[in-house]
Amino acid sequence: MDSDTASPAPSPSIPDLIVQAWRLAAQAALPGLPWLALLALMGGFYKWALTTGAGGTMLTLAALAVLFLAGVQASLMIYRAMIPEAKGAFMALMHMNLAVYLAFFFISFFIFFFVGIFGVVMLQLSGLVDLAAEGADEQIPAALAGMMSTPYGWALSIVYATGLGGLAFLALRLLLAGAATVQMGRVMVFRTWRWTKGDVLRFGAASLVTHVLPFLVGYIANLVIISVAGQGEVAVFATGVSGLFLQVPFILAGHGLAVAALRAVHPPASVA
């Protein structure tokens, strides 16, 4: 049968995607380790600059910029280890990341601005606090906690969950952007949007094991370290480093799922 008319291979199941993602993560662990270590160090430097205020705003912004650049380089090396035929370069991946981050920033701003306004309205309607009264600011936390067990709180929870769900949907629809950018050697952001159509639930289910679970494990582990280390400057730097280093499984498996998903919905021959 002619290759142009051959039927496409069946899409991998959710367990297959998870297995492939972690296999790719193991494959990229050693090549990516030096860059992930650098990323962790930059994470410690940024947390130290942000928390202590040493050096002022300019140093904090510089630390954030270096952290971002280190993250792009680490991501590039991880993708290259996972995709032998990769053509992508640093600038293309940086451009893609900036585009995605800006999209999330603006969309998140409007979502949480609306959620905030809705929360204020629900809080006022609940009657638990008069927001126009003097000293209302001090009563808001307790009133908000009390409101969550009422229908007003349920409505706020539904709106908040809807906003988070929308952001998760956007993230899953853009899951392939980084892997496609590195594989093709040109910036791919919303061009990959149509490739994930109909697969959001499948990718979302797989991401519970490749993204959500390792992230939560790393986050909770670092909270334990923070509670032991304290809040001194050295401790702040160290927990910034450990906070990112404990996310290495999340970073590797997240990249692995992106590559596995790209191969599933748009194999290299189709991309070319």
Side-chain angles (χ1 to χ4, degrees):
M1 182 181 293
D2 184 81
S3 60
D4 291 336
T5 60
S7 59
S11 297
S13 65
I14 293 170
D16 286 341
L17 283 172
I18 294 171
V19 170
Q20 290 178 38
W22 283 105
R23 179 180 58 79
L24 289 165
Q27 176 183 318
L30 190 58
L33 186 59
W35 303 101
L36 289 168
L38 175 63
L39 177 64
L41 286 173
M42 293 304 102
F45 178 52
Y46 172 67
K47 184 180 180 183
W48 170 80
L50 181 66
T51 304
T52 64
T57 303
M58 293 304 297
L59 181 62
T60 302
L61 291 176
L64 178 61
V66 173
L67 176 64
F68 169 73
L69 295 175
V72 173
Q73 180 63 23
S75 180
L76 177 63
M77 302 311 293
I78 291 169
Y79 276 133
R80 283 182 174 174
M82 293 178 175
I83 310 173
E85 69 278 11
K87 303 174 182 178
F90 180 87
M91 291 304 294
L93 189 59
M94 183 181 72
H95 183 180
M96 185 283 302
N97 276 281
L98 282 173
V100 170
Y101 291 163
L102 285 174
F104 269 93
F105 173 78
F106 285 112
I107 294 171
S108 300
F109 174 81
F110 287 109
I111 287 177
F112 290 111
F113 178 78
F114 172 76
V115 171
I117 295 297
F118 188 80
V120 169
V121 172
M122 291 296 100
L123 197 57
Q124 185 69 37
L125 290 176
S126 70
L128 295 174
V129 62
D130 182 3
L131 297 177
E134 184 177 351
D137 291 347
E138 299 175 0
Q139 303 173 33
I140 287 178
L144 188 60
M147 184 187 74
M148 298 312 293
S149 60
T150 70
Y152 298 102
W154 303 342
L156 178 60
S157 297
I158 291 171
V159 171
Y160 187 75
T162 301
L164 290 179
L167 291 176
F169 175 81
L170 178 62
L172 290 168
R173 291 303 299 268
L174 296 177
L175 176 67
L176 311 182
T181 295
V182 175
Q183 179 166 298
M184 297 187 68
R186 60 193 179 97
V187 179
M188 302 285 289
V189 183
F190 288 101
R191 294 177 184 180
T192 64
W193 183 271
R194 67 184 184 277
W195 297 350
T196 56
K197 183 178 181 181
D199 284 308
V200 168
L201 290 178
R202 188 159 60 109
F203 295 158
S207 72
L208 294 176
V209 181
T210 60
H211 288 67
V212 178
L213 181 60
F215 175 83
L216 288 177
V217 170
Y219 180 75
I220 293 172
N222 203 51
L223 286 181
V224 174
I225 293 174
I226 290 173
S227 66
V228 173
Q231 295 298 323
E233 289 196 23
V234 174
V236 166
F237 175 80
T239 54
V241 173
S242 63
L244 266 173
F245 203 78
L246 287 168
Q247 295 302 333
V248 165
F250 157 74
I251 295 170
L252 290 171
H255 283 68
L257 180 61
V259 173
L262 179 63
R263 291 175 178 174
V265 303
H266 222 70
S270 300
V271 174

